[in-house]
Protein backbone atom coordinates (compact mmCIF):
# COMPACT_ATOMS: atom_id res chain seq x y z
CA UNK A 1 0.00 0.00 0.00
CA UNK A 2 1.33 3.40 -0.91
CA UNK A 3 1.11 6.29 1.48
CA UNK A 4 1.21 9.90 0.50
CA UNK A 5 3.46 12.11 2.55
CA UNK A 6 1.62 14.57 4.73
CA UNK A 7 2.74 18.18 4.58
CA UNK A 8 4.72 19.16 7.62
CA UNK A 9 2.89 21.48 9.97
CA UNK A 10 4.72 24.57 11.12
CA UNK A 11 5.76 24.56 14.73
CA UNK A 12 5.55 27.88 16.68
CA UNK A 13 9.21 27.61 17.65
CA UNK A 14 10.50 26.69 14.21
CA UNK A 15 13.59 28.54 13.02
CA UNK A 16 12.75 31.47 10.80
CA UNK A 17 15.30 33.21 8.64
CA UNK A 18 15.41 36.91 9.43
CA UNK A 19 17.35 39.09 6.99
CA UNK A 20 20.24 41.00 8.50
CA UNK A 21 18.62 44.32 7.64
CA UNK A 22 15.64 43.46 9.86
CA UNK A 23 17.81 42.03 12.66
CA UNK A 24 20.01 45.10 12.76
CA UNK A 25 17.45 47.88 12.31
CA UNK A 26 14.67 46.91 14.74
CA UNK A 27 16.17 47.06 18.17
CA UNK A 28 14.49 48.34 21.27
CA UNK A 29 11.73 47.52 23.72
CA UNK A 30 8.93 47.59 21.16
CA UNK A 31 10.69 45.25 18.71
CA UNK A 32 8.06 42.79 17.45
CA UNK A 33 10.17 41.13 14.77
CA UNK A 34 11.26 37.51 14.98
CA UNK A 35 14.57 38.79 16.33
CA UNK A 36 12.70 39.99 19.45
CA UNK A 37 12.62 36.48 20.84
CA UNK A 38 11.34 32.94 20.51
CA UNK A 39 7.53 32.68 20.25
CA UNK A 40 5.90 30.93 23.21
CA UNK A 41 3.81 27.82 22.74
CA UNK A 42 0.07 28.61 22.89
CA UNK A 43 -1.51 28.18 26.33
CA UNK A 44 -3.26 24.79 26.52
CA UNK A 45 -2.29 24.20 22.91
CA UNK A 46 -4.47 27.00 21.56
CA UNK A 47 -5.74 30.45 22.35
CA UNK A 48 -8.17 32.07 19.93
CA UNK A 49 -7.17 35.64 20.77
CA UNK A 50 -4.95 37.89 18.70
CA UNK A 51 -1.75 38.68 20.60
CA UNK A 52 -1.35 42.47 20.27
CA UNK A 53 0.73 43.45 23.32
CA UNK A 54 4.51 43.09 22.89
CA UNK A 55 6.30 40.99 25.50
CA UNK A 56 8.49 43.92 26.57
CA UNK A 57 5.48 46.11 27.36
CA UNK A 58 3.93 43.22 29.28
CA UNK A 59 7.08 42.81 31.36
CA UNK A 60 6.98 46.50 32.31
CA UNK A 61 3.31 46.02 33.29
CA UNK A 62 4.33 43.00 35.42
CA UNK A 63 6.75 45.12 37.46
CA UNK A 64 4.26 47.99 37.72
CA UNK A 65 1.49 45.65 38.89
CA UNK A 66 3.71 43.97 41.47
CA UNK A 67 4.86 47.28 42.94
CA UNK A 68 1.32 48.71 42.90
CA UNK A 69 -0.18 45.71 44.73
CA UNK A 70 2.63 45.71 47.31
CA UNK A 71 2.55 49.51 47.70
CA UNK A 72 -1.19 49.82 48.26
CA UNK A 73 -0.99 46.92 50.68
CA UNK A 74 1.69 48.72 52.69
CA UNK A 75 -0.37 51.90 52.78
CA UNK A 76 -3.46 50.07 53.98
CA UNK A 77 -4.53 50.16 57.61
CA UNK A 78 -5.61 46.53 57.50
CA UNK A 79 -3.08 43.88 58.51
CA UNK A 80 -4.68 41.39 56.11
CA UNK A 81 -4.43 43.84 53.19
CA UNK A 82 -0.82 44.62 54.09
CA UNK A 83 0.11 40.95 54.25
CA UNK A 84 -1.74 39.99 51.07
CA UNK A 85 -0.32 42.98 49.18
CA UNK A 86 3.24 42.24 50.22
CA UNK A 87 3.00 38.51 49.55
CA UNK A 88 1.30 38.87 46.16
CA UNK A 89 3.45 41.82 45.07
CA UNK A 90 6.67 40.07 46.11
CA UNK A 91 5.60 36.88 44.34
CA UNK A 92 4.95 38.69 41.06
CA UNK A 93 8.15 40.68 41.37
CA UNK A 94 10.12 37.49 42.00
CA UNK A 95 8.57 35.68 39.05
CA UNK A 96 9.24 38.67 36.80
CA UNK A 97 12.89 38.86 37.86
CA UNK A 98 13.35 35.14 37.10
CA UNK A 99 11.43 34.80 33.81
CA UNK A 100 13.02 34.13 30.44
CA UNK A 101 12.34 37.57 28.94
CA UNK A 102 14.41 40.67 28.23
CA UNK A 103 13.68 42.67 31.37
CA UNK A 104 14.68 40.08 33.96
CA UNK A 105 17.82 39.45 35.97
CA UNK A 106 17.99 35.65 35.61
CA UNK A 107 16.26 33.63 32.92
CA UNK A 108 15.17 30.58 34.92
CA UNK A 109 11.38 30.36 34.44
CA UNK A 110 10.13 29.35 30.96
CA UNK A 111 7.89 31.93 29.31
CA UNK A 112 5.00 29.43 29.07
CA UNK A 113 5.16 28.89 32.83
CA UNK A 114 5.21 32.67 33.36
CA UNK A 115 2.05 32.98 31.27
CA UNK A 116 0.23 30.40 33.40
CA UNK A 117 1.48 32.10 36.58
CA UNK A 118 0.12 35.43 35.26
CA UNK A 119 -3.39 33.99 35.10
CA UNK A 120 -3.19 32.40 38.56
CA UNK A 121 -1.65 35.56 40.08
CA UNK A 122 -4.31 37.81 38.52
CA UNK A 123 -7.15 35.70 39.87
CA UNK A 124 -5.45 35.55 43.28
CA UNK A 125 -5.12 39.34 43.45
CA UNK A 126 -8.78 39.73 42.52
CA UNK A 127 -9.92 37.17 45.11
CA UNK A 128 -7.60 38.20 47.98
CA UNK A 129 -9.73 41.05 49.42
CA UNK A 130 -12.75 38.76 49.65
CA UNK A 131 -10.94 35.64 50.83
CA UNK A 132 -8.95 37.44 53.53
CA UNK A 133 -11.79 39.70 54.65
CA UNK A 134 -10.39 43.18 54.05
CA UNK A 135 -12.80 44.13 51.26
CA UNK A 136 -14.94 46.27 53.60
CA UNK A 137 -12.20 47.52 55.92
CA UNK A 138 -9.79 48.65 53.23
CA UNK A 139 -11.76 49.78 50.21
CA UNK A 140 -8.81 51.45 48.46
CA UNK A 141 -6.68 48.30 48.66
CA UNK A 142 -9.64 46.24 47.46
CA UNK A 143 -10.28 48.43 44.43
CA UNK A 144 -6.62 48.62 43.50
CA UNK A 145 -6.11 44.87 43.90
CA UNK A 146 -9.19 44.06 41.81
CA UNK A 147 -8.26 46.58 39.09
CA UNK A 148 -4.62 45.45 38.90
CA UNK A 149 -5.71 41.80 38.82
CA UNK A 150 -8.29 42.41 36.10
CA UNK A 151 -5.91 44.51 34.00
CA UNK A 152 -3.14 41.90 34.31
CA UNK A 153 -5.58 39.17 33.34
CA UNK A 154 -6.72 41.12 30.28
CA UNK A 155 -3.15 42.03 29.29
CA UNK A 156 -2.07 38.39 29.66
CA UNK A 157 -4.74 37.25 27.24
CA UNK A 158 -3.44 39.60 24.54
CA UNK A 159 0.34 39.43 25.15
CA UNK A 160 2.63 38.01 22.48
CA UNK A 161 4.81 36.00 24.89
CA UNK A 162 8.38 35.59 23.62
CA UNK A 163 11.28 33.92 25.37
CA UNK A 164 14.84 35.14 25.06
CA UNK A 165 16.73 31.90 25.60
CA UNK A 166 14.11 29.15 25.34
CA UNK A 167 14.51 27.95 28.93
CA UNK A 168 12.72 24.68 29.61
CA UNK A 169 12.01 22.54 32.65
CA UNK A 170 12.09 18.76 32.75
CA UNK A 171 12.55 16.32 29.91
CA UNK A 172 9.65 17.49 27.75
CA UNK A 173 9.86 18.82 24.23
CA UNK A 174 12.82 20.95 23.38
CA UNK A 175 11.51 24.48 23.31
CA UNK A 176 14.53 26.25 21.89
CA UNK A 177 15.39 25.28 18.33
CA UNK A 178 18.34 27.64 18.27
CA UNK A 179 18.83 31.33 17.66
CA UNK A 180 16.14 33.00 15.59
CA UNK A 181 17.49 34.20 12.25
CA UNK A 182 20.70 32.32 12.94
Amino acid sequence: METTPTPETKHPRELVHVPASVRESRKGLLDRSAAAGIPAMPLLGMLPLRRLIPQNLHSVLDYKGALTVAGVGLLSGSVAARTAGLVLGSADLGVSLLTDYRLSLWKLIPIEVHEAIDYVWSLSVIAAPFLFGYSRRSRLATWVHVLVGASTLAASLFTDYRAQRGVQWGRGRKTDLGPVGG
Side-chain angles (χ1 to χ4, degrees), residues 132-143:
F132 298 119
Y134 63 88
S135 62
R136 292 177 190 232
R137 286 178 281 161
S138 183
R139 297 232 185 235
L140 177 63
T142 299
W143 276 104

Side-chain angles (χ1 to χ4, degrees), residues 9-179:
T9 58
K10 281 220 161 226
H11 192 271
R13 292 213 184 217
E14 197 169 313
L15 274 178
V16 177
H17 175 70
V18 179
S21 61
V22 173
R23 278 196 314 256
E24 309 283 324
S25 66
R26 296 192 61 179
K27 303 236 187 238
L29 288 180
L30 298 178
D31 184 2
R32 293 191 53 130
S33 70
I38 304 161
M41 305 293 278
L43 184 67
L44 303 176
M46 61 183 232
L47 191 63
L49 299 172
R50 185 173 162 110
R51 303 295 186 119
L52 303 171
I53 300 172
Q55 172 59 53
N56 296 318
L57 177 59
H58 180 91
S59 57
V60 170
L61 294 175
D62 278 343
Y63 290 113
K64 179 199 70 73
L67 294 174
T68 302
V69 166
V72 79
L74 279 175
L75 296 175
S76 175
S78 166
V79 174
R82 243 180 304 188
T83 304
L86 281 176
V87 168
L88 290 167
S90 299
D92 193 33
L93 187 61
V95 167
S96 297
L97 289 171
L98 298 176
T99 295
D100 183 16
Y101 57 47
R102 280 189 194 176
L103 299 179
S104 68
L105 292 179
W106 300 283
K107 286 140 181 54
L108 302 175
I109 299 174
I111 197 68
E112 293 89 359
V113 173
H114 177 95
E115 181 180 7
I117 290 171
D118 274 346
Y119 296 120
V120 172
W121 185 83
S122 300
L123 294 173
S124 299
V125 171
I126 292 169
F130 309 103
L131 290 177
F132 298 119
Y134 63 88
S135 62
R136 292 177 190 232
R137 286 178 281 161
S138 183
R139 297 232 185 235
L140 177 63
T142 299
W143 276 104
V144 171
H145 286 181
V146 169
L147 290 174
V148 168
S151 65
T152 302
L153 185 63
S156 297
L157 288 170
F158 295 101
T159 295
D160 179 13
Y161 286 93
R162 291 184 175 266
Q164 288 300 298
R165 297 201 177 142
V167 172
Q168 63 181 357
W169 285 349
R171 296 181 182 207
R173 280 191 308 228
K174 183 172 173 68
T175 57
D176 184 10
L177 300 175

